[in-house]
Amino acid sequence: MVILMETKARGRRLLPLDGLWAFLVALVGIISFSLSYGTLTVNERVMFFLITVGYTLPTVIRRLHPNVSATVLIVVGVLRYFAFPSEFLPIDIALLLTIYAVVVYGISAMAVATISTALAGGIFIMVPLMISTPTRENLLGMLLLILLVFAVAAFALARRALRLQKEQFLREQEQRSRQIAAHEHAASIRERSHIARDMHDIVAHTLAVIVAQADGGRYAGRKDPDKAIETLERIAEMTRAALGDIRQIVSVLREPDDLDAPLTPQPVAQNLTELIEQVRLAGYPISFAEVGQRLPLPAGTGNALYRICQEALTNSMKHGGEHVSIAVTLEWRARTVILSIVDDGRGASAPDDGHGNGIIGMTERATAFGGTLEAGPRSGGGFRVNVVIPVRGAGERSAQL
């Protein structure tokens, strides 16, 4: 589809130039007609006029519709031979223009037919002349005619090869674009499914704790009403957090066939220190800095931060090289939390195996909770991942360490 559109667009762009060529062909025909007018019969004048028109009009569309142009030129060329079988006409130059166009842009069969018609017409004219007047000039004229046709055809074949090479490149690019789009779509679906599974775990765990709290509060209410009220407040807080997570993830569907997801709490932002320590124990120089006053996060938001950090650290260790240094910063602001993972490795220039979905997954996790994620190479070398996630009701809740 892209190649066909490109071919048509090229033909339309070249239409004014081919119109100029057609004007020159018509001009040559008119001048030849004027110079030969006195020596032509009435029938020959009519045929000369028809041949001029028949050569001129197809030249206009020789690259927009090369096969149609070549077909018309072949028919007109045959009529021209029967009308003037013993001499060359200057307007025959139109055949060379059509040979070039049909070889470059047309089908192979039509190109062969056009070249054959031009050669046959030239030979049928030159052979009788050589028989009647076997001069060196006539022999050189026939050789020059054959060489001229083959030279135009050879040049056109070279241009055709370049065009086919370009079209092959466009086909490969189009196919690759479709594959990349399909790959990204599939990766997005997989990551959404992963997020849905994480949310299932979080909500299931939250509800289990709420049930336990409700049971305890029911028994406590008989002896200690204050304890029951405290329990109800905790239930209300956990329920609001769970409902917020559900609203954030409402458009994400869980894979219906995957029923084996564990019903355990997922890691949250507070577990980052454990994750940092795991990387340090693996032998990588890594630093961790926490700025600002920590805010209480819903479990889903904390899990997203943890998973993003985990993926970013994995990418740094995988692509950064043996001696990569990593710096992780967790910055708490009034209504947002900012996580930054920076390394000084070669991740941006490392070979891409084409199977990674890390940035796609991290972006999905951030946007699922109303956040944004930026990932890319640093100007001084290395790679940087920065995620900003809003904290709902951060200004209304007390900070806890």
Side-chain angles (χ1 to χ4, degrees):
M1 180 61 69
V2 173
I3 295 173
L4 179 61
M5 293 176 61
E6 174 67 19
T7 302
K8 293 298 183 181
R10 178 178 54 243
R12 287 190 289 269
R13 289 197 305 269
L14 296 175
L15 194 60
L17 179 60
D18 287 335
L20 178 60
W21 280 112
F23 172 77
L24 294 177
V25 169
L27 185 62
V28 170
I30 292 172
I31 293 174
S32 300
F33 180 77
S34 300
L35 295 177
S36 305
Y37 185 83
T39 62
L40 298 176
T41 65
V42 174
N43 290 336
E44 287 177 337
R45 293 170 185 171
V46 172
M47 289 301 299
F48 205 112
F49 173 78
L50 293 177
I51 290 169
T52 300
V53 174
Y55 274 173
T56 301
L57 294 181
T59 304
V60 178
I61 60 171
R62 68 191 186 101
R63 280 181 283 202
L64 184 60
H65 300 289
N67 299 318
V68 175
S69 175
T71 301
V72 174
L73 261 293
I74 290 174
V75 174
V76 175
V78 173
L79 294 177
R80 169 254 179 277
Y81 174 76
F82 285 106
F84 302 97
S86 60
E87 58 182 308
F88 287 104
L89 301 178
I91 200 173
D92 288 335
I93 191 70
L95 285 171
L96 296 178
L97 296 174
T98 303
I99 287 174
Y100 172 83
V102 75
V103 170
V104 176
Y105 304 107
I107 61 176
S108 300
M110 189 58 66
V112 172
T114 307
I115 294 173
S116 300
T117 300
L119 288 175
I123 292 173
F124 288 160
I125 293 174
M126 288 300 302
V127 169
L129 287 177
M130 291 183 62
I131 293 176
S132 61
T133 310
T135 62
R136 180 186 301 177
E137 288 77 9
N138 288 338
L139 177 62
L140 291 176
M142 187 174 71
L143 293 177
L144 180 62
L145 170 67
I146 295 174
L147 288 175
L148 185 61
V149 172
F150 277 107
V152 172
F155 178 70
L157 285 173
R159 293 297 304 271
R160 181 186 181 92
L162 291 176
R163 181 181 67 82
L164 293 177
Q165 184 178 8
K166 179 182 178 181
E167 290 181 355
Q168 178 65 24
F169 175 77
L170 290 176
R171 276 193 295 268
E172 292 175 355
Q173 289 297 105
E174 185 179 3
Q175 182 179 6
R176 180 171 176 81
S177 296
R178 288 196 299 266
Q179 291 174 347
I180 291 174
H183 179 71
E184 290 181 349
H185 180 67
S188 178
I189 292 176
R190 287 195 299 270
E191 291 302 328
R192 287 178 178 270
S193 176
H194 295 163
I195 295 170
R197 285 200 298 269
D198 289 346
M199 192 56 61
H200 170 270
D201 298 340
I202 295 165
V203 173
H205 176 72
T206 302
L207 292 178
V209 175
I210 289 174
V211 170
Q213 292 280 348
D215 288 339
R218 183 177 58 189
Y219 292 112
R222 299 172 183 173
K223 300 179 180 181
D224 189 351
D226 293 336
K227 186 68 173 180
I229 294 174
E230 181 182 347
T231 301
L232 290 174
E233 289 176 350
R234 284 199 298 268
I235 291 175
E237 183 179 353
M238 295 182 68
T239 303
R240 282 193 294 268
L243 287 175
D245 289 337
I246 291 173
R247 292 191 187 97
Q248 292 284 358
I249 208 70
V250 67
S251 62
V252 182
L253 299 178
R254 189 183 180 196
E255 293 176 352
D257 296 330
D258 189 356
L259 303 177
D260 299 324
L263 303 181
T264 56
Q266 295 296 298
V268 294
Q270 286 80 354
N271 298 99
L272 287 181
T273 52
E274 299 177 6
L275 186 61
I276 301 297
E277 188 61 24
Q278 292 174 5
V279 176
R280 183 177 291 111
L281 292 176
Y284 290 90
I286 184 169
S287 62
F288 176 63
E290 189 170 4
V291 181
Q293 192 174 26
R294 185 181 297 180
L295 302 171
L297 296 175
T301 305
N303 178 46
L305 287 171
Y306 181 92
R307 295 302 184 189
I308 291 172
C309 184
Q310 186 179 47
E311 179 64 28
L313 291 176
T314 301
N315 289 340
S316 293
M317 291 185 290
K318 181 178 179 181
H319 301 295
E322 296 181 1
H323 305 292
V324 61
S325 297
I326 309 170
V328 180
T329 303
L330 185 65
E331 182 179 357
W332 301 90
R333 295 187 179 179
R335 295 185 179 274
T336 58
V337 57
I338 303 174
L339 176 66
S340 176
I341 303 95
V342 179
D343 68 54
D344 60 357
R346 57 180 180 87
S349 60
D352 186 2
D353 58 11
H355 301 291
N357 302 318
I359 294 179
I360 297 175
M362 290 189 292
T363 303
E364 287 286 343
R365 291 183 184 277
T367 55
F369 294 94
T372 59
L373 184 137
E374 296 178 355
R378 301 166 60 207
S379 58
F383 204 84
R384 178 175 180 267
V385 175
N386 191 77
V387 58
V388 180
I389 296 181
V391 180
R392 298 186 305 275
E396 302 172 0
R397 292 180 291 188
S398 60
Q400 298 178 6
L401 290 175

